[in-house]
Amino acid sequence: MNPVMVCLWIFAAVCAGTWVLSLITREYSWTDRIWSLVPLAYVWVFAAASGFEGRLVLMAVLVTLWGARLTFNFARKGGYAPGGEDYRWAILRRRLKPWQFAVFNLLFISIYQNIIIFLMTLPALTVYQNPAPLNAGDWILAVLFAGALAGETAADQQQWNFQQWKGQERKSGRTPTPGFLQSGLFRYSRHPNFFFEQAQWWLFYGFAVAATGAWLHWTVLGALLLTLLFMGSTVFTESISRSRYPDYVQYQYRTSAIIPLPPRQGLRPAAEAG
């Protein structure tokens, strides 16, 4: 079978399905709901087409672990339940005219995001086209991938614990203070889960390097576009956080946006805070 054609058929079906479901349900998180599932299909298609060549099987197993963890975290937050739409889409709908959001839903949510999902798995194509035995580089990448997976798991668990505490405080009639997580991994990065998520897909691209010995392939485009997507998502998310929490600007001043770094000391000068 031609694995690229199989994956393109999956891609077309997913784009159409997420868009139609968004129109039927008036919920716009259907791409979020398949984000952790469809990459598994793409990579396993390449693994099967190769006759389950060792490097592709290793890549598929790692992506399966990534998908299982992300699916679990998304499910426990209610992402698959009716009404489990990402809160940011409702805010964006209020900022855009109806026709503008309709275009955004079709072109960005249903098509562009699925293009990124497809592209970020395509280092598997490079590996498929360049079969070679596993080497030490593959195992180093696998260990680093597992480390990034563990880091994202820890970050999401810390966020989950914090949100559960906030919910209990509100049920008890108290205002949660602080209003956003600033401890644990979030002391060193405002979005450590974003950092580890991106790291996993850059490491996934590393398998194309291990297979060929060449550092640059066009299939790096997926990891690059994913990073750009997270950059835009960070700006949008933090604009919401600043509007909700007056002290968020100080958190931005002392804490790295993505890459975990030692926190900056002191307070942001008033002129900069404005």
Side-chain angles (χ1 to χ4, degrees), residues 4 9 14 29 38 63-64 67 69 75 77-79 93 127 131 143 161 164 175-176 190 194 202 206 230 249 259 274:
V4 176
W9 279 110
V14 170
S29 280
V38 174
V63 171
T64 300
R69 190 216 66 81
K77 293 190 296 184
R93 285 200 299 275
V127 173
V143 169
N161 293 342
Q164 294 298 105
T175 300
R190 302 197 298 271
F194 287 7
W202 280 101
F230 270 104
V249 67
I259 301 172

mmCIF file of all heavy atoms in Angstrom, residues 4 9 14 29 38 63-64 67 69 75 77-79 93 127 131 143 161 164 175-176 190 194 202 206 230 249 259 274:
data_model
loop_
_atom_site.group_PDB
_atom_site.id
_atom_site.type_symbol
_atom_site.label_atom_id
_atom_site.label_comp_id
_atom_site.label_asym_id
_atom_site.label_seq_id
_atom_site.Cartn_x
_atom_site.Cartn_y
_atom_site.Cartn_z
ATOM 1 N N VAL A 4 1.361 7.187 2.111
ATOM 2 C CA VAL A 4 1.031 8.601 1.988
ATOM 3 C C VAL A 4 -0.420 8.771 1.554
ATOM 4 O O VAL A 4 -1.165 9.603 2.105
ATOM 5 C CB VAL A 4 1.981 9.302 1.004
ATOM 6 C CG1 VAL A 4 1.563 10.756 0.799
ATOM 7 C CG2 VAL A 4 3.417 9.243 1.516
ATOM 8 N N TRP A 9 -6.100 10.179 2.813
ATOM 9 C CA TRP A 9 -7.521 9.868 2.938
ATOM 10 C C TRP A 9 -7.990 10.058 4.378
ATOM 11 O O TRP A 9 -9.080 10.581 4.631
ATOM 12 C CB TRP A 9 -7.809 8.442 2.459
ATOM 13 C CG TRP A 9 -7.931 8.312 0.972
ATOM 14 C CD1 TRP A 9 -7.067 7.689 0.112
ATOM 15 C CD2 TRP A 9 -8.986 8.835 0.164
ATOM 16 N NE1 TRP A 9 -7.510 7.798 -1.180
ATOM 17 C CE2 TRP A 9 -8.695 8.494 -1.184
ATOM 18 C CE3 TRP A 9 -10.143 9.553 0.430
ATOM 19 C CZ2 TRP A 9 -9.518 8.853 -2.243
ATOM 20 C CZ3 TRP A 9 -10.969 9.923 -0.630
ATOM 21 C CH2 TRP A 9 -10.661 9.565 -1.950
ATOM 22 N N VAL A 14 -10.863 13.399 8.320
ATOM 23 C CA VAL A 14 -10.828 14.081 9.616
ATOM 24 C C VAL A 14 -11.169 15.556 9.454
ATOM 25 O O VAL A 14 -11.922 16.119 10.262
ATOM 26 C CB VAL A 14 -9.449 13.896 10.279
ATOM 27 C CG1 VAL A 14 -9.314 14.793 11.498
ATOM 28 C CG2 VAL A 14 -9.246 12.443 10.688
ATOM 29 N N SER A 29 -14.386 22.301 19.311
ATOM 30 C CA SER A 29 -13.187 21.624 19.810
ATOM 31 C C SER A 29 -13.037 20.217 19.254
ATOM 32 O O SER A 29 -12.376 19.380 19.865
ATOM 33 C CB SER A 29 -13.216 21.573 21.346
ATOM 34 O OG SER A 29 -12.795 22.802 21.896
ATOM 35 N N VAL A 38 -5.400 10.890 16.014
ATOM 36 C CA VAL A 38 -5.082 10.756 14.598
ATOM 37 C C VAL A 38 -3.585 10.544 14.341
ATOM 38 O O VAL A 38 -3.221 9.751 13.455
ATOM 39 C CB VAL A 38 -5.626 11.967 13.810
ATOM 40 C CG1 VAL A 38 -5.182 11.922 12.358
ATOM 41 C CG2 VAL A 38 -7.146 11.985 13.878
ATOM 42 N N VAL A 63 4.741 7.491 19.990
ATOM 43 C CA VAL A 63 3.582 8.333 19.708
ATOM 44 C C VAL A 63 2.329 7.763 20.371
ATOM 45 O O VAL A 63 1.458 8.516 20.838
ATOM 46 C CB VAL A 63 3.389 8.498 18.187
ATOM 47 C CG1 VAL A 63 2.065 9.186 17.871
ATOM 48 C CG2 VAL A 63 4.530 9.303 17.603
ATOM 49 N N THR A 64 2.226 6.451 20.459
ATOM 50 C CA THR A 64 1.088 5.832 21.145
ATOM 51 C C THR A 64 1.091 6.195 22.630
ATOM 52 O O THR A 64 0.036 6.503 23.210
ATOM 53 C CB THR A 64 1.121 4.310 20.964
ATOM 54 O OG1 THR A 64 1.045 3.996 19.562
ATOM 55 C CG2 THR A 64 -0.045 3.645 21.687
ATOM 56 N N GLY A 67 -0.005 9.751 22.845
ATOM 57 C CA GLY A 67 -1.440 9.874 22.619
ATOM 58 C C GLY A 67 -2.262 9.370 23.791
ATOM 59 O O GLY A 67 -3.282 9.978 24.146
ATOM 60 N N ARG A 69 -1.425 9.304 26.973
ATOM 61 C CA ARG A 69 -1.337 10.262 28.087
ATOM 62 C C ARG A 69 -2.187 11.492 27.815
ATOM 63 O O ARG A 69 -2.936 11.969 28.677
ATOM 64 C CB ARG A 69 0.119 10.670 28.299
ATOM 65 C CG ARG A 69 0.354 11.476 29.573
ATOM 66 C CD ARG A 69 1.408 12.540 29.391
ATOM 67 N NE ARG A 69 0.988 13.574 28.465
ATOM 68 C CZ ARG A 69 0.185 14.595 28.802
ATOM 69 N NH1 ARG A 69 -0.276 14.702 30.033
ATOM 70 N NH2 ARG A 69 -0.167 15.487 27.899
ATOM 71 N N ALA A 75 -9.545 13.795 28.607
ATOM 72 C CA ALA A 75 -10.810 13.194 29.028
ATOM 73 C C ALA A 75 -11.168 13.570 30.458
ATOM 74 O O ALA A 75 -12.329 13.878 30.763
ATOM 75 C CB ALA A 75 -10.734 11.670 28.889
ATOM 76 N N LYS A 77 -10.518 16.190 32.022
ATOM 77 C CA LYS A 77 -10.945 17.581 32.086
ATOM 78 C C LYS A 77 -12.314 17.798 31.441
ATOM 79 O O LYS A 77 -12.808 18.929 31.401
ATOM 80 C CB LYS A 77 -9.906 18.474 31.402
ATOM 81 C CG LYS A 77 -8.573 18.519 32.138
ATOM 82 C CD LYS A 77 -7.654 19.597 31.578
ATOM 83 C CE LYS A 77 -7.249 19.331 30.153
ATOM 84 N NZ LYS A 77 -6.274 20.329 29.646
ATOM 85 N N GLY A 78 -12.924 16.709 30.941
ATOM 86 C CA GLY A 78 -14.243 16.812 30.335
ATOM 87 C C GLY A 78 -14.219 17.188 28.871
ATOM 88 O O GLY A 78 -15.253 17.570 28.304
ATOM 89 N N GLY A 79 -13.061 17.059 28.219
ATOM 90 C CA GLY A 79 -12.943 17.488 26.831
ATOM 91 C C GLY A 79 -13.796 16.704 25.856
ATOM 92 O O GLY A 79 -14.170 17.232 24.800
ATOM 93 N N ARG A 93 -15.135 33.895 19.732
ATOM 94 C CA ARG A 93 -16.404 34.153 19.032
ATOM 95 C C ARG A 93 -16.951 35.523 19.387
ATOM 96 O O ARG A 93 -17.561 36.189 18.535
ATOM 97 C CB ARG A 93 -17.430 33.068 19.360
ATOM 98 C CG ARG A 93 -17.181 31.748 18.673
ATOM 99 C CD ARG A 93 -18.439 30.887 18.624
ATOM 100 N NE ARG A 93 -18.943 30.557 19.936
ATOM 101 C CZ ARG A 93 -18.503 29.533 20.669
ATOM 102 N NH1 ARG A 93 -17.529 28.764 20.210
ATOM 103 N NH2 ARG A 93 -19.032 29.278 21.845
ATOM 104 N N VAL A 127 11.752 8.388 7.438
ATOM 105 C CA VAL A 127 12.285 7.109 7.922
ATOM 106 C C VAL A 127 11.828 5.968 7.019
ATOM 107 O O VAL A 127 12.610 5.064 6.696
ATOM 108 C CB VAL A 127 11.844 6.879 9.381
ATOM 109 C CG1 VAL A 127 12.234 5.478 9.854
ATOM 110 C CG2 VAL A 127 12.457 7.938 10.294
ATOM 111 N N PRO A 131 15.108 3.242 5.004
ATOM 112 C CA PRO A 131 15.205 2.161 6.004
ATOM 113 C C PRO A 131 16.650 1.899 6.391
ATOM 114 O O PRO A 131 17.537 1.865 5.547
ATOM 115 C CB PRO A 131 14.584 0.966 5.286
ATOM 116 C CG PRO A 131 14.720 1.274 3.823
ATOM 117 C CD PRO A 131 14.601 2.767 3.708
ATOM 118 N N VAL A 143 14.857 7.840 24.910
ATOM 119 C CA VAL A 143 14.972 8.187 26.331
ATOM 120 C C VAL A 143 14.587 9.648 26.556
ATOM 121 O O VAL A 143 13.853 9.981 27.502
ATOM 122 C CB VAL A 143 16.402 7.907 26.836
ATOM 123 C CG1 VAL A 143 16.612 8.505 28.230
ATOM 124 C CG2 VAL A 143 16.670 6.409 26.858
ATOM 125 N N ASN A 161 -4.141 19.278 39.840
ATOM 126 C CA ASN A 161 -4.269 19.396 41.297
ATOM 127 C C ASN A 161 -4.652 20.815 41.695
ATOM 128 O O ASN A 161 -5.489 21.021 42.594
ATOM 129 C CB ASN A 161 -2.951 19.006 41.981
ATOM 130 C CG ASN A 161 -2.621 17.535 41.824
ATOM 131 O OD1 ASN A 161 -3.484 16.722 41.501
ATOM 132 N ND2 ASN A 161 -1.366 17.185 42.030
ATOM 133 N N GLN A 164 -8.306 21.469 40.820
ATOM 134 C CA GLN A 164 -9.174 20.791 41.777
ATOM 135 C C GLN A 164 -9.248 21.577 43.080
ATOM 136 O O GLN A 164 -10.320 21.725 43.678
ATOM 137 C CB GLN A 164 -8.663 19.377 42.051
ATOM 138 C CG GLN A 164 -8.726 18.444 40.855
ATOM 139 C CD GLN A 164 -10.145 18.213 40.367
ATOM 140 O OE1 GLN A 164 -10.556 18.750 39.344
ATOM 141 N NE2 GLN A 164 -10.909 17.455 41.108
ATOM 142 N N THR A 175 -12.581 32.731 47.812
ATOM 143 C CA THR A 175 -11.937 33.115 46.552
ATOM 144 C C THR A 175 -10.545 32.509 46.517
ATOM 145 O O THR A 175 -9.724 32.812 47.401
ATOM 146 C CB THR A 175 -11.841 34.641 46.429
ATOM 147 O OG1 THR A 175 -13.158 35.201 46.471
ATOM 148 C CG2 THR A 175 -11.156 35.033 45.125
ATOM 149 N N PRO A 176 -10.247 31.651 45.546
ATOM 150 C CA PRO A 176 -8.912 31.023 45.496
ATOM 151 C C PRO A 176 -7.812 32.065 45.326
ATOM 152 O O PRO A 176 -7.903 32.932 44.464
ATOM 153 C CB PRO A 176 -8.993 30.115 44.263
ATOM 154 C CG PRO A 176 -10.450 29.972 43.965
ATOM 155 C CD PRO A 176 -11.105 31.218 44.433
ATOM 156 N N ARG A 190 5.978 29.512 32.443
ATOM 157 C CA ARG A 190 4.539 29.782 32.526
ATOM 158 C C ARG A 190 3.732 28.698 31.828
ATOM 159 O O ARG A 190 2.552 28.518 32.108
ATOM 160 C CB ARG A 190 4.227 31.159 31.910
ATOM 161 C CG ARG A 190 4.987 32.300 32.568
ATOM 162 C CD ARG A 190 4.392 33.651 32.246
ATOM 163 N NE ARG A 190 4.378 34.037 30.863
ATOM 164 C CZ ARG A 190 5.349 34.692 30.226
ATOM 165 N NH1 ARG A 190 6.468 34.999 30.878
ATOM 166 N NH2 ARG A 190 5.214 35.046 28.958
ATOM 167 N N PHE A 194 3.492 23.159 27.502
ATOM 168 C CA PHE A 194 3.752 23.537 26.108
ATOM 169 C C PHE A 194 5.194 23.187 25.730
ATOM 170 O O PHE A 194 5.458 22.708 24.621
ATOM 171 C CB PHE A 194 3.537 25.036 25.905
ATOM 172 C CG PHE A 194 2.096 25.484 25.921
ATOM 173 C CD1 PHE A 194 1.068 24.623 26.247
ATOM 174 C CD2 PHE A 194 1.766 26.791 25.604
ATOM 175 C CE1 PHE A 194 -0.261 25.034 26.261
ATOM 176 C CE2 PHE A 194 0.451 27.226 25.608
ATOM 177 C CZ PHE A 194 -0.568 26.349 25.934
ATOM 178 N N TRP A 202 9.867 17.693 18.348
ATOM 179 C CA TRP A 202 11.194 17.946 17.797
ATOM 180 C C TRP A 202 12.065 16.694 17.925
ATOM 181 O O TRP A 202 12.848 16.371 17.016
ATOM 182 C CB TRP A 202 11.849 19.135 18.491
ATOM 183 C CG TRP A 202 11.358 20.452 17.970
ATOM 184 C CD1 TRP A 202 10.433 21.287 18.551
ATOM 185 C CD2 TRP A 202 11.736 21.079 16.743
ATOM 186 N NE1 TRP A 202 10.216 22.387 17.761
ATOM 187 C CE2 TRP A 202 11.012 22.298 16.643
ATOM 188 C CE3 TRP A 202 12.627 20.751 15.720
ATOM 189 C CZ2 TRP A 202 11.151 23.166 15.565
ATOM 190 C CZ3 TRP A 202 12.767 21.619 14.634
ATOM 191 C CH2 TRP A 202 12.031 22.808 14.564
ATOM 192 N N GLY A 206 13.840 14.041 15.201
ATOM 193 C CA GLY A 206 15.207 13.541 15.328
ATOM 194 C C GLY A 206 15.391 12.137 14.764
ATOM 195 O O GLY A 206 16.500 11.776 14.341
ATOM 196 N N PHE A 230 1.945 27.028 18.870
ATOM 197 C CA PHE A 230 2.004 27.216 20.316
ATOM 198 C C PHE A 230 2.358 28.654 20.674
ATOM 199 O O PHE A 230 1.889 29.175 21.689
ATOM 200 C CB PHE A 230 3.001 26.240 20.941
ATOM 201 C CG PHE A 230 2.388 24.935 21.336
ATOM 202 C CD1 PHE A 230 2.593 23.786 20.578
ATOM 203 C CD2 PHE A 230 1.605 24.843 22.472
ATOM 204 C CE1 PHE A 230 2.025 22.580 20.937
ATOM 205 C CE2 PHE A 230 1.032 23.634 22.845
ATOM 206 C CZ PHE A 230 1.243 22.494 22.080
ATOM 207 N N VAL A 249 0.729 39.992 35.209
ATOM 208 C CA VAL A 249 1.813 40.705 34.524
ATOM 209 C C VAL A 249 3.127 40.555 35.290
ATOM 210 O O VAL A 249 4.199 40.477 34.678
ATOM 211 C CB VAL A 249 1.429 42.193 34.320
ATOM 212 C CG1 VAL A 249 1.335 42.932 35.637
ATOM 213 C CG2 VAL A 249 2.412 42.878 33.380
ATOM 214 N N ILE A 259 10.423 28.017 27.857
ATOM 215 C CA ILE A 259 11.590 27.227 28.273
ATOM 216 C C ILE A 259 11.807 27.382 29.773
ATOM 217 O O ILE A 259 11.923 28.507 30.269
ATOM 218 C CB ILE A 259 12.846 27.677 27.512
ATOM 219 C CG1 ILE A 259 12.635 27.513 26.004
ATOM 220 C CG2 ILE A 259 14.070 26.892 27.968
ATOM 221 C CD1 ILE A 259 13.734 28.115 25.163
ATOM 222 N N GLY A 274 2.817 48.790 32.543
ATOM 223 C CA GLY A 274 1.763 49.435 31.765
ATOM 224 C C GLY A 274 1.809 49.028 30.320
ATOM 225 O O GLY A 274 0.841 49.161 29.621
#
